[in-house]
Amino acid sequence: MIHVNMPNPIGGEHWGFWIALYFFLAGAGGGAYLLSVLYASESLRRVRQAAMMAFLAVVLGSGLLVLDLGQPLRFLNLFLSGFYPSSVMWTGSWFLLLAGAALLWVFLRPASRAAQLSAALLVALVVSYTAVLLMATAKPFWNATPLLPWLFLASAATSGAALLQLLEPNERLKRVLVAMAFVELGVLLLHLLWAYPQAAASVMALLAGPLAWAFWGFLVLGWALPIWLERRTHLAAAVLTLFGAFLLRYFIVFAGQV
Amino acid sequence: MPKPNDYAILFDASRCIGCKSCQVACKQWNDLPAEQTQNRGSYANPLKLSGATWLKMNFWEGLKPDGDPYFDFTRGSCMHCTHAPCVASCPTGAMAHREGGVVTVDQSACIGCRSCVQACPYDAVHFDEAKGVVSKCTLCYDRISNGDQPACVKACPTDALTFGRYQEIRAVAEERVRVLKERGYPRATVYGLNELGGTHVIYVLTEHPSAYHLPVALKEAEKRAGTGWLSAGIAAAILGAGLKFIVERREALKGGEK
Amino acid sequence: MIAAVQEGKLVNLEGDPDHPINQGALCSKGQAARGFVQSPYRVTKVLYRAPGSDRWEEKDWAWALDRIARLIKDTRDAEWVETDDLGQVVSRTESIATLGTSVGSNEEAYAMSKLFRALGIVYIEHQARICHSSTVPALGTSFGRGAMTNHPIDFRNADVILVQGGNPAEQHPLTFRWILEAKERGAKLIVVDPRFNRTASKADIYAQIRPGTDIAFMGGLIRYILENKRYDEFYVKHYTNAPFLVNPDFKTATELDGLFSGYDPEKRQYDTGSWSYQVDENGMVKKDMSLTDPHTVFQLLRKQYERYTPELVSKITGIPVEKLLAIYDLYSSTGRPDRAGTITYAMGATQHTYGTQHIRSYAIVQLLLGNIGIPGGGINALRGHSNVQGSTDFALLYHDLPGYLGIPTGDKPTLKDWLESKVSKANNAPSANWWQNYPKYFVSLLKAWWPKVDPETAYAFLPKLSPHKGGVPDKSADYSHYAIFHAILEGRIKGLIAIGQNPANSAANANLARKALDNLKWLVVVDPMETETAAHWKRPGVDPKAIQTEVFLLPSAVWAEKSGSITNTGRWAQWYDKVLDPPGEAKDELWILTELVQRLKKMYAEEGGPNKEAILELSWWEHSEKISEEVAKEYNGYDLTTGKLMAKFADLRDDGTTACGNWLYCGAFTEEGNKMARRDPRDTHPLGLGLFHNWAYSWPANRRILYNRASTDLTGQPRNPNKWLVRWNPKEEKWEGDVPDGTAPPEKALPFIMLPEGVGRLFAAQLKDGPFPEHYEPWESALANLISGQDKNPVCKVWVSDLDVYGSPEEYPIVATTYRLTEHWHTGMMSRNVPWLLELQPDPFVEMDVELAKSLGIKNGDWVRIKSARGEMRAVALVTPRILPVKVGDKTLHQVGIVIHWGYQGGNPGDSANQLTPQALDPNTFIQETKAFLVRIERA
């Protein structure tokens, strides 16, 4: 059977660089806050610091999202047009709004456990809804497996930990980072294998096609290298991990649209 | 299920000659611009739907088991699904069902987030760069609400396209399949009766839909999203708890050692 | 179509649901028509290119028209040919040629035809020459008229449809609509084509045929019909010349190994003396109604085709024997009165060195099966351009005058001589012998053109044909398209007027045409776009400084911007109204011609010149909003004694008291009004056969199906009562149903009224290459002829020169054919310049089979270079399973199909397939063999 169909050219995506960047910011900032609540809630200073990082990530990220809209000035329609719970983007927009408010609350009242926990819940929703957003589409690379939320959460943990390491390196964070990095890789490989029958073009684009630079870049520079470098320099490892986390979001977003 | 009195279009592939009148009629009526194209070894052009191309013909060629060639033609455009994933994913309600089952986007309310673009399994919705909103086939809502036929239906030289009420159109389609089976097309079938709650554009095909890369067994967007939320919830719980457990246990051990 | 115009701008254009043929649907080019009217490539100002210049300058109309009129007069007068080499008075100019148009209106065509002849121009041609010219004598000699016998809607009445040498789904989608409708009613569709195209996708039986072997295929069918007695015996005996006895000296190609009797190999032509009937002392033909005498046409037909056995035909065509027999069996099942078979074709049949004979083979099959003159039958020649039928009817061809009257030759010095030679004599009773009325039509035409002059004097105004003055190497009286370009190359033609035709792309061996254009002293192009012809001086690879042609590009209006009529392939002349003004300074052709005529008349009155009365006495029209209607009225005709419009051509007289520009259109615009503008969408036949007598005007006499009396028996009763087309009502003494072909009562006239025999011709002695079709290989062929020792057509005209080179199968092993796409128009000016159409098919491509591609290392989508002995082109390779290689003996032949629509101008410029094609021509009409030639291919 001969039927000519082109894969979508790289550069023609509907969700591109800015979306990938937003995913990364939300993941890193959100992950930092979640980890601080899980492991450092006794240090109000750290919680406050993490809340500020997450807040900035949410604000900056939301800014990117608004600018990326086809009609940025109409972004208020997201909140004023009614209830669309079936739309993951709708629920996600509310999560972002409420998470921002909650993080601000934490920043102002870091001691309040209610603030910390409600912000943690909302931040967790912000980190994971992006994966659900992708899963709810028709793109086989995104919807063929239930693993994207696992991937995004694990990535949020590694990049959040890396972010915190940049400020105050400690042993516990390092262990979290390494453990989650392995989970992240395992989930990624499993996802690629599982999705292959339905999304062969996407998987091949990653392994040997126009997105291979991002995939292998992530694997080598953003995953393997930091683990190896970790003993010597926390700084370089953290930076590389963050870079790797961005590459991961990038190639997940782009591969889905091939 | 579409309602009996809903609008519907029937595309009968057994009468289609791939002449692209419908493609041009859509452009003429909707004043859509032409795209820059290249011949990549096919009669089909443009190769994909876009903000400027709401309807295209697909070409399929090969050899039948008896050694004679075949040259089949199918239509690619919005199917106006009853459980349209584009509607489900729209965060502002701009993409919505109108009267008669027609799905259109209100371009004055659309914020250009492109969720619908990603949600469509037929690749039928696209972003219009110039306007900053999405656009797609409107089932010529402006014509049919004035008692006229959609432009593509009127244009078709061989009556491969017909327009009417869903009940009649479906009956015509099923009768046509019966006749085709008598004429030596045992795999003739109607496509679109069950997909996404039943589509308002249905096809009579002489081969199984998968031969034409048409998706079968589609999941609704809400279901996909639901799976996503569930997965996210489980992931967060397990990863969070798992992390906490592992790290605290190690510390407990370490502490124990101390 | 229905146009929506808002504030002078066209905002929508779509089909008219009332139209009986398209019912509101349109093909993709029709749908994009608004894009054509509004194309960004429309020329809006008069452009002028000075000799040697590399750019256009804008000029105003007055300047350009003054200059053009001056050039016409000076060129015409300077080398005026009053007498030819034989001393005959010919009163012509051989220094000017005109080309075009087939997309203008009938009124424009008529005006052009009139003006150019009044100027004494003989090199007058248009697209029909290179497209359907072989149809006209083939159908004309077989039945009496050279046009499509039925009409598009009639396909639905057929039981079997044979498509060979055409691709109606692609080129005539709205006609294909009716073919599919026939299928829904149980008809079967047979498609015979070198490649499996969009039409073949709906075929019940498809056969892949080697390009150039069509007559072998049809010969096999004729033999099958005869051997298996599938012919309609009554019809064959009474309505064809089967029982006629032929001169015993006549020999078929079976007896003379591929030649007919009378061949002169030195002159490469036939002495046709032996191709005649045996006649009695009254000149009436002798017959044997039992069809057994060996000299009957019937037995000669059997002898001619006895070699065309299924096995041999299979070897020649590449079609397996079982498939051949299946097709022959199915098609010949229509030999019964209650079954109708129709054959439809276009360029795949006409564009060969044997094109005319190919269509003759269709005619023979249809006559044998009794399919002519019945609903669902006939020979449906599908003509392409919007008004090529009209332009042919109005004789924008060198050898004709409007109404197929033929143009006088130098050996007929007086009107009386000419009329005598044209009046036909019946040789069979009861033949209506309609051409006995010839003088009425010819004299009426002279009165229409030169009203104040008596017909004798007017006759002298007409240019006469005869062999060329000078004209090395070919002195014959060939003023056709290819002769024009050779004459330009040799410097004999100084000026060319090309109205709506683009010869730099459209005819064979485009490289020669383009080079020839460089040699012109002046060129006037009237076109809405800047065509390859208009821009030849700046084409890739030439230095404008070296080209001295003075070029004028006059921007013309398109159909939406003027009113007039056009005639479709089914002979319906339909009127359309002007809906908007042309853009910028574009003007319609009638305006341009009128301006030129006014200037020329002034110049000839003041300065004089040879045969100046022909111009001064020429009737012409004033500028006005209604000029098209005035023109239409003139070709309809007036009764000069009453001043009233003629009602029908039967009323025309030969004494100079009637005037009529084209007798076939007499009745189109009468005192009752403009019949061409009628829009009554109701089927007027009681059985609903799809005849719409009150929609437009169908020539002749609003008859919808030609030869329709052949559907009845000798008493006028229908042979198929369930699908009767016409029938004689003896009580009221008139015919019912369609307008009868011949209004006389049944026993007074035979059905083929335009032929002196009154019956259809199986044996047609009027053609140059034989009274029967015979298979010859194409001029460039990969194989030797298997049916006889005569490889190629022994009388076909082949140009040989530095630029006319032919290749051998060793150098060029691949067989090529050319074809069109539904998305594009011919040279591409009307479609590549429409963004909505260019988007659909942006690049030229060549379809090739999978094996060939593999052997050449070519992948689907790669650019390749195709070379022939004449030139080369680049195209995208479409590697497809829809073409299969052909095994002939131990040889594997590959064939490819090349798309024609590109050129160096307009959207997505590219190469034209005509850079490859040969000027090997059919001997009857000089149409070129663009459908079978040799190439080689490599990756680009």
Side-chain angles (χ1 to χ4, degrees), chain B residues 12-48 50 52-53 55 57 59-64 66-73 143 148-160 176 179-180 183 185, chain C residues 2 11-17 22-29 31-35 168-170 173-174 176-178 180-181 183-186 195-199 201-203 206 208 323 819 821-823 835-845 847 860-861 863 876-884 908:
Chain B
D12 181 354
S14 72
R15 299 180 76 114
C16 177
I17 51 174
C19 72
K20 304 182 192 162
S21 272
C22 52
Q23 241 182 274
V24 180
C26 177
K27 293 236 170 182
Q28 200 276 139
W29 177 255
N30 294 297
D31 247 325
L32 296 170
E35 298 190 47
Q36 281 273 55
T37 51
Q38 272 185 281
N39 190 323
R40 297 198 192 271
S42 170
Y43 274 59
N45 248 315
L47 283 177
K48 299 218 170 279
S50 72
T53 301
L55 169 60
M57 298 307 312
F59 292 77
W60 313 86
E61 42 191 301
L63 286 177
K64 292 194 288 227
D66 63 10
D68 267 347
Y70 67 82
F71 203 9
D72 291 347
F73 319 106
R143 291 172 66 108
D148 204 346
Q149 293 179 316
C152 57
V153 173
K154 181 174 183 199
C156 180
T158 56
D159 283 345
R176 181 74 180 161
V179 166
L180 286 172
R183 286 200 194 154
Y185 295 95
Chain C
I2 299 185
V11 293
N12 192 46
L13 193 56
E14 46 183 81
D16 177 1
N22 69 25
Q23 299 176 321
L26 291 173
C27 69
S28 52
K29 293 195 282 280
Q31 283 299 144
R34 175 160 75 88
E170 195 94 35
L174 277 313
F176 198 71
R177 175 192 193 73
W178 299 106
L180 280 186
E181 181 60 29
K183 279 194 70 172
E184 289 308 308
R185 294 178 183 201
R195 37 167 220 120
F196 192 88
N197 50 32
R198 288 188 251 209
T199 303
S201 71
K202 300 288 174 276
Y206 164 73
Q208 180 179 299
K323 192 162 267 187
Y819 62 90
L821 297 167
T822 191
E823 297 91 341
W836 286 328
L837 293 174
L838 185 63
E839 164 187 60
L840 303 177
Q841 293 282 12
D843 297 309
F845 60 86
E847 291 188 334
N860 190 26
W863 279 86
V876 174
L878 233 78
V879 180
T880 170
R882 292 178 288 109
I883 302 181
L884 296 165
N908 277 25

Side-chain angles (χ1 to χ4, degrees), chain C residues 309-494:
Chain C
T309 60
E311 292 71 27
L312 190 53
V313 170
S314 172
K315 280 214 193 87
I316 297 174
T317 60
I319 301 173
V321 174
E322 318 79 58
K323 192 162 267 187
L324 275 178
L325 292 175
I327 294 175
Y328 291 167
D329 177 48
L330 178 58
Y331 195 73
S332 58
S333 72
T334 62
R336 297 174 3 209
D338 63 340
R339 273 175 76 77
T342 181
I343 302 182
T344 184
Y345 69 91
M347 305 293 94
T350 60
Q351 291 177 341
H352 289 281
T353 46
Y354 56 77
T356 311
Q357 293 293 350
H358 180 187
I359 298 155
R360 273 276 302 142
S361 70
Y362 294 159
I364 291 175
V365 165
Q366 291 295 71
L367 285 172
L368 287 176
L369 296 174
N371 280 331
I372 298 294
I374 66 173
I379 296 191
N380 287 316
L382 295 178
R383 305 200 64 167
H385 313 69
S386 47
N387 199 24
V388 67
Q389 181 67 52
S391 298
T392 310
D393 298 337
F394 285 93
L396 284 173
L397 293 168
Y398 80 89
H399 65 277
D400 226 334
L401 280 178
Y404 300 97
L405 296 178
I407 193 139
T409 49
D411 60 341
K412 307 280 184 289
T414 68
L415 177 61
K416 186 159 167 299
D417 294 327
W418 175 245
L419 292 178
E420 258 171 25
S421 72
K422 293 297 279 184
V423 170
S424 56
K425 289 187 201 25
N427 53 10
N428 184 31
S431 167
N433 190 24
W434 201 263
W435 278 119
Q436 62 179 301
N437 297 303
Y438 183 92
K440 303 176 185 167
Y441 311 140
F442 193 82
V443 172
S444 300
L445 182 138
L446 291 176
K447 287 309 284 182
W449 288 11
W450 295 284
K452 301 211 197 72
V453 159
D454 64 274
E456 290 298 338
T457 318
Y459 180 78
F461 291 163
L462 282 174
K464 312 288 185 300
L465 288 191
S466 71
H468 295 216
K469 198 168 180 69
V472 175
D474 188 337
K475 277 179 128 178
S476 65
D478 171 8
Y479 294 86
S480 70
H481 185 107
Y482 296 102
I484 290 178
F485 280 86
H486 283 272
I488 299 175
L489 262 182
E490 290 163 22
R492 288 182 283 121
I493 292 180
K494 311 286 193 292

Side-chain angles (χ1 to χ4, degrees), chain C residues 70-328:
Chain C
R70 170 56 52 197
L71 285 170
I72 292 176
K73 180 172 196 304
D74 288 351
T75 310
R76 172 188 183 273
D77 295 350
E79 288 170 43
W80 182 253
V81 179
E82 186 59 26
T83 56
D84 65 7
D85 288 345
L86 301 167
Q88 300 167 155
V89 172
V90 292
S91 306
R92 66 189 184 220
T93 167
E94 292 178 12
S95 322
I96 303 179
T98 67
L99 286 179
T101 170
S102 60
V103 290
S105 65
N106 287 327
E107 293 68 31
E108 286 160 354
Y110 175 69
M112 284 163 61
S113 202
K114 185 177 170 183
L115 173 61
F116 298 150
R117 268 131 192 148
L119 285 171
I121 299 176
V122 280
Y123 284 110
I124 300 176
E125 285 283 273
H126 81 287
Q127 284 85 338
R129 173 70 53 201
I130 56 181
C131 124
H132 256 286
S133 61
S134 36
T135 291
V136 179
L139 298 183
T141 56
S142 304
F143 313 127
R145 301 182 187 94
M148 180 175 180
T149 63
N150 298 42
H151 60 92
I153 300 172
D154 187 63
F155 277 101
R156 76 166 183 222
N157 297 317
D159 294 296
V160 185
I161 301 168
L162 171 61
V163 174
Q164 184 189 350
N167 189 357
E170 195 94 35
Q171 323 304 356
H172 296 86
L174 277 313
T175 298
F176 198 71
R177 175 192 193 73
W178 299 106
I179 293 179
L180 280 186
E181 181 60 29
K183 279 194 70 172
E184 289 308 308
R185 294 178 183 201
K188 293 272 181 266
L189 175 62
I190 304 170
V191 174
V192 178
D193 201 284
R195 37 167 220 120
F196 192 88
N197 50 32
R198 288 188 251 209
T199 303
S201 71
K202 300 288 174 276
D204 291 292
I205 305 183
Y206 164 73
Q208 180 179 299
I209 190 169
R210 176 164 72 92
T213 60
D214 309 278
I215 293 183
F217 175 87
M218 294 305 289
L221 176 55
I222 294 172
R223 181 180 178 280
Y224 184 94
I225 292 171
L226 294 173
E227 295 310 308
N228 293 286
K229 296 209 173 7
R230 295 292 184 94
Y231 51 88
D232 181 332
E233 195 170 338
F234 170 85
Y235 194 103
V236 166
K237 282 192 171 154
H238 295 281
Y239 294 153
T240 74
N241 63 2
F244 289 21
L245 292 172
V246 172
N247 187 329
D249 290 338
F250 172 74
K251 299 277 176 278
T252 66
T254 303
E255 298 156 278
L256 296 181
D257 194 28
L259 292 171
F260 296 98
S261 43
Y263 185 61
D264 180 342
E266 299 243 319
K267 291 200 197 141
R268 281 196 87 236
Q269 66 189 41
Y270 280 105
D271 171 354
T272 63
S274 61
W275 303 0
S276 51
Y277 301 129
Q278 295 177 30
V279 293
D280 65 17
E281 58 282 359
N282 297 320
M284 291 290 154
V285 99
K286 292 192 193 160
K287 308 184 213 180
D288 169 24
M289 292 307 283
S290 72
L291 304 182
T292 51
D293 186 316
H295 295 298
T296 51
V297 164
F298 187 80
Q299 292 300 336
L300 289 170
L301 193 67
R302 289 189 67 196
K303 189 141 207 68
Q304 163 71 13
Y305 292 105
E306 71 185 26
R307 293 164 289 150
Y308 290 69
T309 60
E311 292 71 27
L312 190 53
V313 170
S314 172
K315 280 214 193 87
I316 297 174
T317 60
I319 301 173
V321 174
E322 318 79 58
K323 192 162 267 187
L324 275 178
L325 292 175
I327 294 175
Y328 291 167

